């Protein structure tokens, strides 16, 4: 089965040579992130990913989760692995120290999460949903709710979930039917059914804290009538001890294409006791705290699966003997040459390698902006960073999951027929990666959010800030001729394609909204490629600098530059195709009558 090697050198490079986190004095906690500090944490997290979580990945896929007498049994070894994470304090890394957290920056926590998700995506979903529940309660909960629930969520003794979807509604949450009736003393009784609830029931923790969207009596129709409720699996006494089992149950564990190790449940609420989070009718706002965080984490999942699949494909391509190089035998002492001599196999691998390494740079930069939003000492910088995070969140979620799945499938392609049988393990990565394009809002939903809401945010200020940042970076580095030729000039061309597409939406979209929406997914991809090109330009500059100064492994830095050059030459020109499709407008998409489908 495939092994996993944590990309420690990539994270050291991105954090300390590209982003230079230790020099960001304005962001609380960043000056303390020395290479020694981050290196020790990432090395230990990588060991857990490699030695504990990765070996359980195939186990979880094979065994799945079983519903027995109302309790979901997770795969063999999952409970021990969860206890190891809890004992090591890993769930608490970026949580508030007031509730037992370590208060570390998100950029470091994301690096840890990406490695551990690459090793075992299904397992790490239990932790990811818990952190989302923590964030929602931390932001919107009362002081009493925070004291009751946060310490145990932070430690990992309890886990959390997000309950939105119902049989009749997914994206359209205005159709939610789950009801909440007042029960006195501030409590509510919730009745209804939720489906597709990740980590909804399991045996990893002593309690599960469900966050449930429901409608109160007389509430307005649509999303304005929704409120958010804390509904624990076991009721909690004033002293924090567990009381009676609440009136909720898992009705079914879904049979899924992938992520078999995570319990995706149908949850039934039969007058279950819950407590409102925040204001009545403002539940969706509170839930979006959890959802926006989850969207970044799902983007990370797309990247992580592409990364572990690439590692497997590259290893296989260097070992598998098949055919001869067209320029002459590369291994004349062997019956055939390794797959990696063939140009098309190289193409498949370089598409993957340039994506996963560029993706680490892109996602780390966005997470650094998230830290600036939360931790910067200057309120204006916090606001500016928040706007950029809002703009880039649908790009992270949509682009990294779409490309991540495509390139995970490319990794499978390297294996040929052996990639289609289960014993090689590569097919699991494909099946697991597929869900990332769907949950927490499909790619189409992310594209609609980007084009329909985020481009117009604050009169277009965030997108203009992005364009100015790209222009400024190009201007500041244009005297570096090597960087300009291979990286800055392609970045400039791609950025102009993005600006032209945005201008088309402003002009054509005002007259016919379908003209903008028909090209929204293309715009999301175009935006994603520009972000990746920016990441590669920044990484190339840092690699050039290291070579000029004679630091580190010269061959490693040269490989980084060559990989980035591949992206700029072979992948980035896709922005022109995306722009051409966008500018066809709505007619090609909308002309065919519905009955003709």
């Amino acid at each position: 089965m495939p092994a996993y090697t944590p990309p420690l050198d990539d994270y050291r490079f991105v954090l300390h040579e590209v982003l230079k986190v230790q020099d960001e004095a304005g962001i609380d906690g960043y000056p303390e992130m020395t290479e020694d500090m981050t290196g020790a944490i990432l090395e230990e997290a990588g060991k857990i990913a490699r030695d504990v979580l990765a070996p359980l990945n195939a186990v979880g896929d094979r065994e799945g989760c079983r519903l027995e007498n109302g309790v979901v049994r997770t795969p063999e070894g999952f409970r021990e692995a969860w206890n190891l994470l809890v004992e090591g304090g890993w769930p608490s890394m970026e949580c508030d120290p007031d509730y037992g957290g370590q208060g570390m920056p998100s950029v470091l926590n994301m690096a840890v999460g990406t490695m551990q998700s690459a090793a075992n995506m299904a397992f790490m979903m239990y932790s990811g949903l818990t952190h989302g529940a923590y964030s929602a309660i931390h932001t919107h909960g009362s002081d009493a709710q925070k004291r009751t629930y946060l310490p145990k969520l932070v430690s990992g003794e309890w886990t959390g979930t997000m309950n939105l979807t119902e049989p009749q509604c997914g994206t359209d949450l205005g159709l939610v039917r789950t009801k909440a009736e007042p029960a006195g003393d501030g409590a509510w009784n919730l009745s209804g059914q939720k489906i597709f609830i990740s980590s909804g029931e399991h045996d990893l923790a002593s309690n599960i804290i469900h966050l449930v969207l429901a409608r109160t009596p007389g509430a307005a129709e649509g999303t304005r009538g929704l409120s958010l409720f804390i509904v624990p699996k076991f009721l909690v006494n004033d002293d924090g001890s567990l009381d009676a089992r609440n009136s909720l149950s898992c009705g079914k564990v879904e049979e899924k294409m992938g992520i078999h190790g995570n319990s995706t449940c149908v949850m039934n609420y039969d007058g279950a006791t819950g407590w409102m989070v925040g204001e009545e009718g403002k539940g969706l706002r509170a839930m979006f705290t959890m959802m926006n965080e989850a969207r970044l984490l799902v983007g990370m999942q797309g990247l992580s699966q592409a990364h572990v699949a690439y590692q497997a494909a590259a290893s296989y391509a260097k070992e598998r003997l098949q055919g001869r190089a067209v320029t002459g035998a590369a291994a004349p002492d062997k019956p055939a040459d390794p797959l990696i001599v063939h140009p098309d196999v190289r193409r498949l691998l370089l598409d993957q390698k340039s994506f996963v390494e560029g993706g680490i740079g892109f996602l780390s930069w966005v997470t650094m902006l998230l830290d600036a939003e939360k931790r910067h000492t200057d309120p204006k910088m916090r606001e500016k960073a928040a706007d950029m995070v809002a703009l880039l969140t649908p790009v992270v979620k949509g682009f990294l999951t779409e490309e991540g799945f495509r390139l995970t499938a490319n990794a499978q392609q390297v294996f040929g027929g052996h990639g289609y049988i289960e014993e090689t393990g590569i097919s699991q990565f494909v099946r697991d990666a597929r869900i990332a394009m769907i949950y927490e809002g499909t790619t189409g939903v992310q594209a609609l959010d980007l084009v329909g809401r985020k481009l117009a945010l604050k009169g277009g200020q965030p997108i203009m800030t992005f364009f100015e940042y790209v222009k400024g970076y190009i201007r500041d580095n244009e005297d570096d001729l090597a960087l300009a030729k291979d990286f800055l000039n392609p970045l400039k061309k791609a950025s102009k394609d993005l600006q032209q597409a945005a201008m088309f939406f402003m002009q054509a979209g005002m007259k016919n909204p379908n003209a903008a929406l028909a090209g929204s997914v293309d715009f999301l991809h175009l935006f994603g490629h520009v972000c990746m090109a920016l990441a590669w330009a920044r990484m190339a500059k840092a690699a050039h600098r290291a070579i000029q100064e004679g630091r580190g492994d010269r061959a490693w830095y040269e490989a980084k530059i060559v990989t980035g050059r591949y992206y700029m030459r072979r992948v980035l020109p896709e922005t022109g195709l995306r722009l051409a499709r966008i500018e066809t407008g709505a007619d090609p998409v909308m002309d065919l009558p519905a009955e003709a489908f």
Side-chain angles (χ1 to χ4, degrees), residues 498-509:
L498 183 64
Q499 293 177 62
Q500 189 170 331
M503 185 63 67
F504 174 82
F505 288 155
M506 290 177 62
Q507 295 173 347

Side-chain angles (χ1 to χ4, degrees), residues 448-526:
L448 292 177
D449 178 42
L450 176 62
V451 171
R453 294 180 62 244
K454 300 302 173 57
L455 287 187
L457 189 66
K458 294 188 175 181
Q461 181 178 322
I463 187 68
M464 294 308 299
T465 299
F466 177 83
F467 287 139
E468 287 302 317
Y469 183 87
V470 174
K471 289 179 184 177
Y473 185 82
I474 294 171
R475 183 176 58 250
D476 292 345
N477 294 282
E478 59 189 0
D479 291 339
D480 186 333
L481 298 182
L483 190 67
K485 177 177 180 293
D486 293 331
F487 292 91
L488 301 184
N489 291 342
L491 172 59
K492 183 187 295 186
K493 170 64 171 63
S495 180
K496 287 182 177 179
D497 287 343
L498 183 64
Q499 293 177 62
Q500 189 170 331
M503 185 63 67
F504 174 82
F505 288 155
M506 290 177 62
Q507 295 173 347
M510 293 293 290
K511 301 174 184 177
N512 179 8
N514 282 338
L517 300 186
S520 60
V521 169
D522 285 299
F523 185 82
L524 184 148
H525 278 267
L526 203 169

Side-chain angles (χ1 to χ4, degrees), residues 243-533:
D243 202 332
R245 172 73 182 253
N246 210 345
S247 301
L248 58 90
S249 62
C250 172
K252 177 185 177 184
V253 175
E254 300 286 3
E255 293 288 337
K256 310 186 295 292
M257 175 180 174
I259 54 168
H260 296 153
N262 190 265
S263 54
T264 306
C265 300
V266 173
M267 297 300 300
N268 297 316
Y269 295 88
D270 301 305
T273 302
W275 290 265
M276 187 178 293
V277 180
E279 299 177 44
E280 187 170 356
K282 300 292 180 63
L284 199 58
R285 183 179 66 177
M287 183 61 81
F288 262 107
T289 296
M290 194 173 185
M291 288 177 65
N292 286 331
E293 176 180 301
R295 286 171 174 174
L296 293 176
L297 294 178
V298 173
M300 173 268 283
Q301 290 179 332
L303 175 63
S304 71
Q305 294 309 288
H307 202 161
V308 68
Y310 160 70
Q311 290 186 358
S315 177
Y316 186 79
K318 288 186 281 189
E319 296 171 358
R320 172 72 169 175
L321 302 181
Q322 200 84 167
R324 288 293 187 189
V326 294
T327 53
D333 58 325
K334 296 180 180 179
D337 291 335
L339 280 171
I340 201 164
V341 305
H342 303 299
D344 194 59
V345 174
R346 289 286 192 106
R347 174 188 65 83
L348 290 170
L349 292 174
L350 275 166
D351 277 355
Q352 298 162 56
K353 181 177 172 63
S354 64
F355 170 77
V356 297
E357 293 181 15
I360 288 174
F362 172 34
L363 183 59
S364 297
W365 174 57
V366 175
T367 314
M368 186 175 179
L369 290 171
L370 185 64
D371 279 328
E373 176 187 350
K374 297 176 180 178
R375 295 168 167 262
H376 207 287
T377 55
D378 184 344
K380 292 183 179 178
M381 293 301 294
R382 290 200 300 270
E383 182 181 5
K384 183 177 179 180
D387 291 343
M388 287 293 286
V389 171
L391 173 69
L392 293 172
T393 292
V395 182
V396 169
K397 200 284 184 185
F399 180 76
L400 291 185
T401 59
E402 285 272 335
E403 288 296 287
F405 174 75
R406 182 180 70 84
L407 294 166
T408 301
N410 271 8
Q412 184 184 39
Q413 190 78 3
V414 172
F415 282 76
H418 290 280
Y420 200 67
I421 59 176
E422 292 296 330
E423 67 184 50
T424 61
I426 192 71
S427 66
Q428 181 188 349
F429 301 137
V430 178
R431 291 185 282 103
D432 286 356
R434 185 63 183 87
I435 185 57
M437 301 157 67
I438 298 173
Y439 59 14
E440 303 305 336
T442 64
T443 304
V445 169
Q446 303 306 315
L448 292 177
D449 178 42
L450 176 62
V451 171
R453 294 180 62 244
K454 300 302 173 57
L455 287 187
L457 189 66
K458 294 188 175 181
Q461 181 178 322
I463 187 68
M464 294 308 299
T465 299
F466 177 83
F467 287 139
E468 287 302 317
Y469 183 87
V470 174
K471 289 179 184 177
Y473 185 82
I474 294 171
R475 183 176 58 250
D476 292 345
N477 294 282
E478 59 189 0
D479 291 339
D480 186 333
L481 298 182
L483 190 67
K485 177 177 180 293
D486 293 331
F487 292 91
L488 301 184
N489 291 342
L491 172 59
K492 183 187 295 186
K493 170 64 171 63
S495 180
K496 287 182 177 179
D497 287 343
L498 183 64
Q499 293 177 62
Q500 189 170 331
M503 185 63 67
F504 174 82
F505 288 155
M506 290 177 62
Q507 295 173 347
M510 293 293 290
K511 301 174 184 177
N512 179 8
N514 282 338
L517 300 186
S520 60
V521 169
D522 285 299
F523 185 82
L524 184 148
H525 278 267
L526 203 169
F527 206 155
H529 282 300
V530 173
C531 290
M532 292 285 277

